[in-house]
Amino acid sequence: MDNPADTEEEKGLNFPCSLCDAEVVHSMTKLLLPALATASVDNTTGDMFKGPSSVVAGLKTELAGYMIQRSETLVRESMGGQEDRSEQFIKASTRPAEFLPDLIEDFVTSKKNMLSHVSGFFSTDGRINKIKEFTQKLETEKFWAEDERKATTETILKIVDVECNFHCHERFDMPDKLLEHTDQCKFRIVNCTNAGCAASFSAIHIEKHDSVCPFKLIPCEQLCEQDVMRSKMDKHCSTVCPMKLINCPFYEVGCETAFAQCSLERHCSGFLQTHLMYVAHVIIRQRVSVNDMDQRLQLLEKVQSLNELSGALDVRTLTVITKEQEAKINKLEKDLKAQETKMKKLENDLKSRK
């Protein structure tokens, strides 16, 4: 089967666009360093003369070559029979970030020494910690630079992406045409335009990112007139939003209406008489309680002598009860005066607004 790239080169299209889906490339690239560290640790487990650092260089070359070769073989075999493509090929061409771990697992397994195979039956934290430590060491020392890993990943992606869903297939005969295309390519890197967001991604994902960007200004979910940052929507709706539902200020005395807080003044003005009635009922109930207490005190005052009650009531108990009753009466009188003051203030405020 002819290589499409060779055919294009024969036509003089020697300037290909090298852009790929940045998100997919990143997802694949971040798998390579832990894969190399795992293969290096497992290849030298229990070896007194070799450590991961002594084999990592050779394994890096082997890993890159293995993944590229396996990808080419898979595509070549699958493209030979269009109607009978394997599940692995479908996975590779439609979900390359999920396909790459399969190749990595096969490579790592092939590099395990005998002791690693045996210890595999007894998964230990020690092995995991060694792999993490060696991965950090490789990253710190920049042993396998990110740009180099990215180049390997892009090579694999372009091999398996036969339908060009994740990379650009355009080629040109002149460099200026390539440059002009690059500025419009759907895989070019763009920055989010929402104020405060520093995200960058391929242009093909603009709508996808915009639909979840936490810095995007969107209409209020409670339909107020404000545009609110997506990440602050919950706080806005539960605090300052004019359409936030609140209870009537006279809820405690009987008005159980709930409404948007921007309608507070209109509600209080429209239900003035109703609120006055609720308050009046409370005042009447409080006065009844005061009158009932007065009657009880009058009965106590009719007692001529504490000695007449000595058989049924202790003097100290009577004294305590009397003081408690007086305290309750004083509190009720203060509450009543406070309610009357609030009512007068409310009536004055409403009259002044009219």
Side-chain angles (χ1 to χ4, degrees):
M1 184 177 62
D2 294 335
N3 189 327
D6 293 339
T7 303
E8 297 292 348
E9 288 178 1
E10 290 175 0
K11 296 179 181 179
L13 303 179
N14 298 318
F15 300 93
C17 178
S18 61
L19 297 178
C20 299
D21 187 324
E23 183 177 334
V24 176
V25 170
H26 175 73
S27 298
M28 297 172 69
T29 300
K30 68 181 183 180
L31 299 173
L32 299 189
L33 208 58
L36 179 59
T38 302
S40 300
V41 169
D42 286 350
N43 187 251
T44 56
T45 297
D47 195 319
M48 299 177 60
F49 304 100
K50 293 192 301 182
S53 297
S54 64
V55 299
V56 67
L59 289 178
K60 182 188 78 169
T61 303
E62 287 187 47
L63 174 59
Y66 176 85
M67 293 186 295
I68 293 173
Q69 183 181 10
R70 279 285 304 274
S71 299
E72 290 175 337
T73 302
L74 176 64
V75 172
R76 183 171 56 252
E77 293 176 350
S78 299
M79 294 299 289
Q82 293 286 341
E83 297 181 358
D84 188 27
R85 294 183 174 180
S86 67
E87 292 184 4
Q88 190 177 30
F89 172 76
I90 295 174
K91 183 178 184 179
S93 59
T94 59
R95 305 188 306 278
E98 296 179 19
F99 162 71
L100 190 60
D102 295 342
L103 298 185
I104 291 173
E105 183 178 359
D106 291 344
F107 177 80
V108 170
T109 300
S110 70
K111 295 304 173 182
K112 286 184 176 181
N113 62 17
M114 184 62 68
L115 186 57
S116 292
H117 280 288
V118 174
S119 61
F121 293 103
F122 310 98
S123 180
T124 61
D125 293 336
R127 172 180 176 270
I128 296 175
N129 290 334
K130 286 180 180 178
I131 292 172
K132 287 182 178 180
E133 291 174 2
F134 194 56
T135 300
Q136 291 175 356
K137 179 182 179 181
L138 295 178
E139 187 171 6
T140 302
E141 296 177 354
K142 297 181 179 180
F143 175 79
W144 196 358
E146 184 176 359
D147 289 344
E148 188 179 352
R149 283 180 282 139
K150 182 180 177 183
T152 301
T153 296
E154 289 178 346
T155 299
I156 297 170
L157 181 60
K158 290 174 182 177
I159 293 171
V160 300
D161 183 26
V162 294
E163 296 182 0
C164 301
N165 292 319
F166 307 103
H167 81 285
C168 182
H169 67 284
E170 298 289 346
R171 302 177 71 93
F172 303 90
D173 58 353
M174 298 292 289
D176 55 341
K177 292 183 179 179
L178 172 60
L179 183 61
E180 182 180 353
H181 162 78
T182 302
D183 292 335
Q184 302 297 325
C185 181
K186 65 181 180 180
F187 293 110
R188 71 188 186 279
I189 300 298
V190 296
N191 297 319
C192 178
T193 57
N194 296 319
C197 183
S200 59
F201 39 83
S202 294
I204 195 173
H205 294 305
I206 289 178
E207 292 185 4
K208 175 184 175 182
H209 172 79
D210 199 58
S211 67
V212 297
C213 178
F215 295 91
K216 173 78 172 178
L217 291 177
I218 57 177
C220 173
E221 294 177 352
Q222 295 182 152
L223 305 181
C224 80
E225 297 180 354
Q226 298 182 35
D227 288 334
V228 184
M229 195 179 293
R230 180 179 278 116
S231 61
K232 296 183 178 180
M233 182 62 71
D234 290 343
K235 183 178 180 180
H236 165 81
C237 291
S238 63
T239 54
V240 299
C241 179
M243 298 303 293
K244 173 192 172 184
L245 288 180
I246 61 173
N247 289 325
C248 174
F250 293 91
Y251 179 86
E252 297 294 335
V253 296
C255 183
E256 298 181 355
T257 306
F259 45 83
Q261 60 182 351
C262 62
S263 304
L264 174 60
E265 185 174 344
R266 182 169 66 253
H267 171 79
C268 290
S269 177
F271 290 86
L272 173 61
Q273 297 299 324
T274 303
H275 293 157
L276 289 174
M277 182 183 68
Y278 283 134
V279 174
H281 287 167
V282 172
I283 293 174
I284 291 172
R285 287 197 299 270
Q286 289 180 343
R287 283 180 176 173
V288 169
S289 298
V290 172
N291 292 334
D292 182 65
M293 195 63 64
D294 286 340
Q295 291 177 4
R296 294 176 183 274
L297 287 173
Q298 290 174 7
L299 289 174
L300 290 174
E301 289 174 355
K302 290 181 180 180
V303 178
Q304 298 297 322
S305 174
L306 293 176
N307 291 331
E308 296 177 2
L309 300 176
S310 59
L313 186 65
D314 183 82
V315 174
R316 289 174 297 174
T317 303
L318 179 61
T319 303
V320 171
I321 293 177
T322 301
K323 288 182 178 179
E324 290 179 352
Q325 298 292 355
E326 288 178 353
K328 289 182 179 179
I329 291 172
N330 291 335
K331 185 177 183 303
L332 287 172
E333 289 177 346
K334 289 181 180 179
D335 292 343
L336 181 58
K337 290 180 180 179
Q339 290 287 355
E340 291 175 347
T341 302
K342 289 181 179 179
M343 284 301 303
K344 289 180 181 179
K345 185 177 183 302
L346 179 61
E347 290 175 0
N348 293 332
D349 289 344
L350 294 174
K351 287 178 181 179
S352 62
R353 290 176 183 175
K354 292 182 177 180

